[in-house]
């Protein structure tokens, strides 16, 4: 029986008399950061996620661990400094998932070289001892050598700076594992459907449903943390139906194209697009991720859909900077995510100007809600949430321990060229599965290096429950090449069925559900 055994975990929550110190609702960056902070302080912690870990926004980011060059331009020094500090900590605590990456800003006007070198010099200074490398100016000749594929017309030179890059949903899975190792109980496919209150209108627990069995639970806690991202208003309205929404979602879209459009190890950063935004072209798992957009949206969903205008904007902008213009037929996958931004007090439609810093709110009922922020600062958000939760819940005072807490998989001396590098310290155990069954050395898809053993590993050790969990978040095939992911679904379902003791009907349902979902990641 492993730590991640779901039956054992569900059993551990079935005692109706148990009072948790903290129940965290939501298993994205914010919730996992909060649960880890709480568990490592020794608090009895339960995290409930309605779908899979990082199913929401936390698997749909630009994959940057960054201070936010854009926020520096907006003069938000405090936010940038905090994020740069957290960037440095994450690189130390999860070195198997966070890479030091060079970003090149091409300069098409004579003054830009000096302007960005000075600006990014400040960025380096703000990082202090945790700087990832110094910003430098490079010549036109150098930029053409570093970034083959970049449009040379009118190019003067470039500025290179450093930031971090990561795999968002892999980090989420490793955080869930670290939570378990620290004594928390974390459950995916468990949805909070209601709040329990006492006679004084204080929240004392939640009602939750196990989405796999339909069994309903009443779970008691000293304090509840609402970490549901763009869904925070659903919980707030369970508390006070008349309240105005706190969150203003802003959609961001990315497209994924072949690396051949820019066969480089560096990323391209376009600091000012035609509508004043930033666009990144970032190498990620053998492909290029290009994005993003910033579109105010009035509704929220776990599967937001890219708008045609967003796709056109990304492709048209990339076309201006690359010698070979990517077109719709070159798009291997398109994905959309929703930023849970704190809504402004006055009714502005400009989401670029809505605060990106995180905000903590305590309801009169005692529920703590965390909104905004970003993946990079998930640890600090968790720390802040637990500080407040301890105060509200009357918990024994303990200081946060996450600053120097290694995340599951953390290992020094990684070989980034190894196809299984992102498993970190689990790598050899994943490979060892092929001794149990030599068939598991086979590939999941002929064009990709994923092994069947990785499916088994994800089921046994990473709480994967569906084909989508495996192909979207344990391995990233859906995000890298949606068509290939559809092709790999049948074999994935059959491997999972044997592990989970499921029948052929389950397999068929899984394959059909995945194929349907994956259609939204394809451009037709
Ligand atoms: C396009 C885009 C690009 C970004 N790029 C970056 C980047 O490069 N770097 C960076 O640092 N940040 C980035 N961010 C920001 C970052 O991704 C988010 O701030 C972060 O992922 C938000 O995490 P969250 O946990 O608050 O929300 P989510 O990840 O959405 O998690 C909330 C979870 O709550 C669950 N939930 C909801 N209701 C319930 C319920 N009733 N019961 C149980 N569970 C429930 C949901 O299923 C969901 O999984 C980006 C964001 C976007 C949109």
């Amino acid at each position: 029986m492993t730590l991640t055994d779901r039956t054992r975990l569900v059993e551990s929550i079935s005692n109706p008399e148990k009072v948790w110190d903290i129940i965290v609702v939501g298993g994205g960056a914010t919730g996992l950061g909060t649960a880890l902070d709480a568990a490592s302080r020794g608090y009895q912690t339960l995290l409930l996620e309605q779908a899979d870990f990082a199913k929401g926004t936390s698997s749909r980011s630009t994959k940057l661990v960054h201070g936010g060059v854009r926020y520096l331009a907006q003069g938000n020094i405090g936010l940038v400094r905090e994020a740069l500090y957290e960037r440095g900590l994450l690189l130390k605590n999860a070195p198997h998932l966070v890479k030091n990456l060079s970003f090149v800003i091409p300069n098409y006007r004579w003054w830009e070289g000096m302007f960005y070198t000075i600006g990014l010099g400040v960025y380096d200074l703000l990082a202090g001892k945790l700087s990832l490398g110094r910003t430098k100016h490079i010549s036109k000749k150098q930029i053409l050598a570093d970034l083959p594929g970049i449009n040379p017309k009118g190019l003067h030179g470039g500025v290179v700076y450093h930031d971090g890059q990561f795999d968002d949903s892999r980090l989420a899975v490793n955080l869930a594992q670290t939570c378990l190792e620290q004594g928390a109980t974390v459950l995916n496919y468990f949805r909070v459907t209601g709040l329990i209150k006492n006679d004084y209108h204080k929240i004392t627990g939640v009602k939750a449903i196990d989405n796999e069995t339909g069994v309903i639970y009443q779970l008691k806690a000293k304090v509840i943390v609402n970490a549901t991202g763009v869904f925070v208003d659903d919980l707030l309205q369970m508390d006070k139906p008349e309240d105005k929404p706190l969150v203003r979602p802003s959609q961001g879209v990315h497209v994924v194209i072949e690396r051949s459009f820019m066969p480089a190890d560096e990323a391209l950063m376009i600091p000012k697009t035609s509508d004043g935004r930033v666009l990144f072209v970032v190498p990620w798992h053998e492909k290029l991720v290009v994005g993003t957009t910033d579109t105010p949206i009035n509704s929220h969903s776990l599967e937001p859909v890219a708008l045609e205008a967003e796709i056109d904007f990304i492709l048209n902008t990339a076309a201006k900077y690359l010698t070979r213009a990517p077109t719709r037929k070159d798009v291997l996958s398109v994905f959309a995510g929703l930023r849970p931004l704190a809504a402004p007090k006055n009714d502005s439609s400009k989401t670029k100007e809505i605060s990106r810093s995180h905000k903590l709110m305590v309801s009169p009922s005692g529920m703590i809600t965390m909104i905004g922020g970003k993946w990079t600062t998930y640890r600090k958000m968790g720390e802040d949430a637990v500080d407040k939760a301890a105060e509200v819940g009357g918990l024994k005072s303990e200081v946060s321990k996450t600053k120097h807490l290694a995340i599951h998989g953390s290992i020094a001396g990684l070989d980034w060229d190894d196809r299984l590098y992102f498993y970190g310290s689990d790598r050899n155990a994943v490979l060892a599965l092929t001794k149990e069954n030599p068939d598991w050395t086979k590939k999941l898809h002929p064009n990709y290096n994923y092994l069947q053993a990785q499916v088994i590993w994800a089921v046994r050790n990473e709480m994967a429950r569906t084909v989508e969990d495996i192909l979207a978040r344990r391995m990233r095939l859906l995000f890298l090449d949606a068509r290939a992911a559809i092709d790999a679904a049948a074999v994935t379902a059959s491997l999972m069925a044997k592990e989970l003791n499921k029948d052929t009907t389950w397999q068929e349902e899984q394959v059909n559900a995945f194929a349907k979902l994956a259609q939204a990641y394809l451009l037709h």
Side-chain angles (χ1 to χ4, degrees):
M1 193 162 64
T2 65
L3 262 181
T4 53
D5 185 85
R6 194 171 196 275
T7 319
R8 184 189 64 84
L9 290 171
V10 174
E11 265 166 29
S12 75
I13 68 161
S14 18
N15 174 2
E17 295 314 313
K18 178 164 175 101
V19 182
W20 299 88
D21 286 327
I22 302 190
I23 294 182
V24 180
V25 191
T30 311
L32 289 162
T34 304
L36 182 57
D37 200 281
S40 56
R41 290 191 207 199
Y43 298 141
Q44 295 261 312
T45 308
L46 171 64
L47 178 144
L48 302 172
E49 160 56 48
Q50 65 175 349
D52 185 26
F53 307 113
K55 161 74 183 179
T57 305
S58 297
S59 56
R60 299 151 192 274
S61 76
T62 313
K63 328 297 178 200
L64 304 181
V65 180
H66 62 160
V69 172
R70 175 150 69 121
Y71 314 132
L72 184 68
Q74 291 166 357
N76 207 335
I77 302 284
L79 180 64
V80 176
R81 186 188 280 119
E82 177 181 86
L84 287 171
Y85 178 68
E86 292 299 323
R87 178 189 76 174
L89 293 184
L90 192 52
L91 200 77
K92 287 188 175 164
N93 294 332
H96 59 303
L97 290 178
V98 187
K99 266 185 195 171
N100 180 345
L101 191 67
S102 298
F103 289 74
V104 181
I105 301 180
N107 304 146
Y108 289 93
R109 276 170 290 199
W110 65 268
W111 51 268
E112 285 178 342
M114 199 165 58
F115 178 78
Y116 289 116
T117 310
I118 294 171
L120 287 155
V122 175
Y123 195 66
D124 296 344
L125 277 178
L126 288 172
K129 276 196 291 208
L130 294 173
S131 164
L132 301 186
R134 287 202 39 198
T135 295
K136 60 176 189 204
H137 184 255
I138 54 170
S139 64
K140 175 175 178 177
K141 196 171 154 210
Q142 189 64 48
I143 191 173
L144 291 174
D146 287 352
L147 284 187
I150 187 143
N151 186 357
K153 211 171 142 213
L155 191 66
H156 284 268
V159 174
V160 184
Y161 73 97
H162 292 257
D163 241 330
Q165 190 212 19
F166 76 133
D167 185 323
D168 46 14
S169 68
R170 288 290 321 165
L171 178 58
V173 170
N174 285 167
L175 282 171
Q177 291 169 305
T178 318
C179 286
L180 289 165
E181 287 157 7
Q182 291 293 322
T185 298
V186 299
L187 279 162
N188 50 3
Y189 296 100
F190 245 88
R191 186 162 64 89
V192 168
T193 54
L195 302 171
I196 304 168
K197 290 187 181 178
N198 65 15
D199 295 345
Y200 306 100
H201 309 290
K202 296 284 179 199
I203 296 175
T204 55
V206 297
K207 289 179 204 151
I209 181 164
D210 180 347
N211 285 339
E212 290 198 352
T213 59
V215 175
I216 293 169
Y217 293 79
Q218 306 241 357
L219 302 156
K220 294 182 188 159
K222 293 179 188 154
V223 59
I224 308 292
V225 178
N226 175 6
T228 53
V230 287
F231 297 85
V232 287
D233 288 313
D234 296 354
L235 246 76
L236 286 167
Q237 273 159 13
M238 288 177 199
D239 184 14
K240 278 178 84 184
E242 66 282 4
D243 271 5
K244 272 180 123 182
L246 258 193
V247 154
R248 174 70 171 282
S250 153
Q251 176 156 294
V253 165
H254 294 89
V255 304
V256 175
I257 56 176
E258 288 293 358
R259 196 80 168 251
S260 57
F261 283 92
M262 196 184 79
D265 290 330
E266 286 86 355
L268 171 64
M269 196 269 205
I270 300 156
K272 209 166 183 138
T273 59
S274 56
D275 68 350
R277 289 176 180 149
V278 173
L279 195 90
F280 289 97
V281 181
V282 187
W284 189 62
H285 291 305
E286 311 302 319
K287 305 285 182 210
L288 291 172
V289 175
V290 191
T292 182
T293 54
D294 210 338
T295 314
I297 296 277
N298 290 326
S299 58
H300 55 271
S301 132
L302 276 177
E303 281 296 337
V305 178
L307 305 177
E308 287 299 312
E310 294 179 292
I311 297 163
D312 289 346
F313 168 77
I314 294 173
L315 291 175
N316 292 340
T317 308
K320 285 189 202 147
Y321 293 86
L322 299 175
T323 42
R324 217 174 104 220
T327 63
R328 291 177 69 89
K329 68 174 175 23
D330 298 309
V331 173
L332 301 168
S333 181
V334 53
F335 58 92
L338 300 177
R339 295 177 189 84
L341 301 186
K345 289 265 181 309
N346 59 347
D347 207 16
S348 162
S349 64
K350 291 192 190 137
T351 61
K352 274 180 289 177
E353 283 155 25
I354 299 178
S355 171
R356 248 68 170 174
S357 60
H358 61 272
K359 292 204 169 35
L360 198 62
M361 199 195 85
V362 185
S363 307
S365 61
M367 182 162 72
I368 289 162
T369 297
M370 179 60 99
I371 46 168
K374 49 191 187 157
W375 241 122
T376 307
T377 53
Y378 84 95
R379 191 210 64 82
K380 178 75 171 84
M381 293 166 70
E383 178 180 335
D384 290 354
V386 177
D387 280 348
K388 187 51 81 184
E391 187 188 314
V392 172
L395 308 180
K396 190 167 149 261
S397 175
E398 293 285 349
V399 291
S400 171
K401 305 201 169 50
T402 47
K403 262 188 198 164
H404 305 293
L405 183 72
I407 291 162
H408 184 100
S410 165
I411 190 171
L414 202 75
D415 173 8
W416 292 107
D417 292 328
D418 184 302
R419 63 181 170 182
L420 299 177
Y421 78 85
F422 50 86
Y423 289 104
S425 58
D426 282 337
R427 176 200 178 270
N428 292 347
V430 177
L431 269 186
L433 286 173
T434 58
K435 298 211 173 68
E436 185 181 325
N437 183 343
D439 267 0
W440 294 342
T441 49
K442 287 187 190 147
K443 285 181 172 187
L444 268 191
H445 187 282
N447 298 348
Y448 290 89
N449 268 334
Y450 297 116
L451 305 178
Q452 293 192 5
Q454 292 175 254
V455 176
I456 309 298
W457 178 263
V459 172
R460 289 188 189 170
N461 300 284
E462 297 181 340
M463 299 180 81
R465 308 296 299 172
T466 69
V467 165
E468 184 203 331
D469 296 349
I470 303 252
L471 295 175
R473 290 171 294 276
R474 305 302 181 282
M475 298 170 224
R476 307 309 305 269
L477 195 51
L478 176 64
F479 288 81
L480 294 168
D481 185 338
R483 205 166 291 285
I486 295 171
D487 295 343
V491 59
T492 305
S494 121
L495 288 161
M496 290 185 83
K498 284 194 197 97
E499 278 298 302
L500 293 168
N501 209 8
K502 302 281 188 189
D503 58 16
T504 48
T505 313
W506 180 89
Q507 284 185 54
E508 271 167 36
E509 282 168 5
Q510 283 290 312
V511 173
N512 291 341
F514 182 74
K516 195 168 162 220
L517 173 126
Q519 289 303 318
Y521 292 71
L522 291 169
L523 287 190
H524 298 278

